[in-house]
Amino acid sequence: MFRREGGSAAADPRALLRANNALQILSNAAWYAAAPFIPLYLVSQGAAIATIGMIIGCSGVLPLLVSLYAGALSDERGPVPVAQASVLLFALAGALLTAVQSVWAVAVAYTLMAVGNIGFAVAPQAIVAAASTPATRVRNYGYYSFWNSAGAVVGPMLGGAVVGHVGYRAAFALVWILMLPSFWATASMHVPPATSRHASFATAHRLVGAIIGQRGIPGVLFISFMMVWAQQLQQSFYPIYLHKVGLSTELIGVLVASVSLSSMLVRAVLSRGVEQFGYRRLLLGATALVALAIGAIPLFHRFWALVVLSGLIGASLGVTQPLSMSLMVESVASQFWGVAFGIRQGVQRIASITSPVVLGVVITMSGIEAAFFLGGGTILATIPIMAGVTRHLRDPHG
């Protein structure tokens, strides 16, 4: 039932991939123009660190609940309507952030954007799978992630500059402004639903156990969980730490962008890295790298040292994210890709909920530096587990 099969037929795969990549730039630029500065905005509104952690953590609850069904809807109706719904959610969130100045409005808008991010992950990943062959899959996921990172480079630099010169609400307006061309990008996409009706919105929950039971899937999910644990720490509390050591919003934007720039550079040569080192060694090395970089953050206060650490974090994420997507596609039949990506997103949402809530409590009790020591140590401690669950992965010549 879950053997690997060819992808859904898609007309003009190159044009489809170009439109999909354009959507990645726009949607990720919109997210990063606002998200890194939301914790700072909440601080300026008098919110406590624990409250910020709760808002960011709890914003992942609804995405967790819808992730599986977003994937099933992508299989049943095609990925394009799911992507279009995400564009609409981002536009609404940006309008709310711009129009209403309160903590509750931020909580609602951040949740809408978090739900939208589910669609922006599940649908485009399914589109790449549909437009790829087994020979081009790793390369196309590398390009997808490359342009995703391009948006994450532009967004925080643009948002930081706008916050520094105009204010937070002007930066938040960039979210809905960037959704205007995103509507055009999704309108140009044409991808049929999966050829099988085994995956549907109503029956998606019945497929979870069978998909998770596939060889390799638990390892992919575990890697995805730990990387989001790291990424959420970087997104939630890293800007606050940078503000604490005296950096301006412009420099904070540059540091956040340097994470994504490093990811871009790594992803441009990812397929070559897989050929040379194989999946397993790349994944384990990237995990160790992000653990050490995150754990070292409190030891440095200077801008250029933090640029180096940000670059190391980005390099790690640049390896793990596209490889875990490719491994997921290889392990599941094409008619279940959407559900599989929904399961992956659900696991990532669990990490995005637990990381800021747990680490927010740690910060309240022991200071913000303790969160980075704990976060890096936790990831480092999981490497032996990760080595076990990735033992089956093929080497470069497998």
Side-chain angles (χ1 to χ4, degrees):
M1 177 178 172
F2 294 99
R3 65 187 186 280
R4 286 171 286 191
E5 298 177 2
S8 300
D12 197 356
R14 291 184 180 180
L16 177 60
L17 290 170
R18 284 195 296 268
N20 196 44
N21 291 337
L23 181 63
Q24 298 319 299
I25 297 175
L26 293 166
S27 61
N28 235 25
W31 171 262
Y32 279 99
F37 306 103
I38 284 177
L40 300 180
Y41 174 71
L42 291 171
V43 168
S44 73
Q45 296 296 305
I49 293 293
T51 301
I52 296 171
M54 288 296 294
I55 288 174
I56 294 174
C58 292
S59 69
V61 174
L62 187 57
L64 171 62
L65 297 176
V66 306
S67 58
L68 176 65
Y69 294 97
L73 194 62
S74 177
D75 286 331
E76 185 176 18
R77 302 294 181 184
V80 175
V82 176
Q84 291 171 334
S86 293
V87 172
L88 180 59
L89 287 174
F90 260 50
L92 291 174
L96 183 59
L97 285 169
T98 306
V100 184
Q101 191 172 5
S102 70
V103 172
W104 73 262
V106 172
V108 172
Y110 199 89
T111 300
L112 290 176
M113 292 179 69
V115 174
N117 265 339
I118 295 295
F120 279 138
V122 169
Q125 288 168 23
I127 288 170
V128 174
S132 301
T133 66
T136 63
R137 187 173 293 137
V138 171
R139 184 191 68 194
N140 287 340
Y141 274 118
Y143 287 146
Y144 156 83
S145 299
F146 177 90
W147 294 112
N148 192 290
S149 295
V153 170
V154 174
M157 296 180 68
L158 182 60
V162 172
V163 168
H165 290 90
V166 185
Y168 287 103
R169 295 173 75 186
F172 297 155
L174 293 171
V175 176
W176 64 262
I177 291 172
L178 288 168
M179 288 304 100
L180 299 178
S182 297
F183 279 112
W184 169 83
T186 56
S188 68
M189 297 178 182
H190 302 284
V191 184
T195 55
S196 171
R197 288 297 181 183
H198 291 300
S200 70
F201 186 86
T203 63
H205 60 282
R206 301 176 188 172
L207 302 172
V208 174
I211 290 176
I212 292 177
Q214 295 299 293
R215 187 169 185 259
I217 294 298
V220 171
L221 296 178
F222 183 75
I223 292 167
S224 297
F225 178 91
M226 294 312 305
M227 287 302 103
V228 171
W229 174 277
Q231 190 176 30
Q232 196 68 9
L233 173 60
Q234 173 245 322
Q235 290 179 355
S236 301
F237 299 116
Y238 192 38
I240 296 175
Y241 173 79
L242 297 175
H243 181 71
K244 179 184 176 182
V245 299
L247 298 183
S248 66
T249 55
E250 289 90 342
L251 291 180
I252 292 172
V254 170
L255 283 168
V256 174
S258 67
V259 175
S260 302
L261 179 60
S262 178
S263 293
M264 284 181 64
L265 297 176
V266 168
R267 287 162 176 170
V269 296
L270 183 60
S271 58
R272 191 178 306 169
V274 171
E275 292 175 2
Q276 185 171 356
F277 299 107
Y279 282 89
R280 187 169 185 262
R281 278 184 285 179
L282 279 178
L283 289 170
L284 293 177
T287 304
L289 183 65
V290 76
L292 294 173
I294 285 177
I297 283 173
L299 304 178
F300 298 93
H301 301 155
R302 301 288 185 180
F303 173 75
W304 288 110
L306 292 166
V307 166
V308 172
L309 292 177
S310 297
L312 294 177
I313 293 170
S316 173
L317 297 174
V319 169
T320 57
Q321 291 175 342
L323 287 190
S324 63
M325 295 175 207
S326 181
L327 289 170
M328 180 71 78
V329 170
E330 287 187 10
S331 301
V332 180
S334 61
Q335 63 264 37
F336 304 108
W337 281 340
V339 175
F341 282 127
I343 293 170
R344 179 175 177 268
Q345 284 297 309
V347 169
Q348 291 179 326
R349 289 321 98 199
I350 294 172
S352 71
I353 293 168
T354 56
S355 177
V357 172
V358 170
L359 296 174
V361 173
V362 171
I363 291 171
T364 301
M365 296 175 61
S366 305
I368 195 165
E369 293 82 2
F372 293 98
F373 290 138
L374 177 62
T378 300
I379 297 166
L380 197 62
T382 65
I383 290 179
I385 301 173
M386 198 173 295
V389 298
T390 59
R391 197 179 304 277
H392 70 284
L393 296 182
R394 66 179 186 272
D395 61 27
H397 309 291

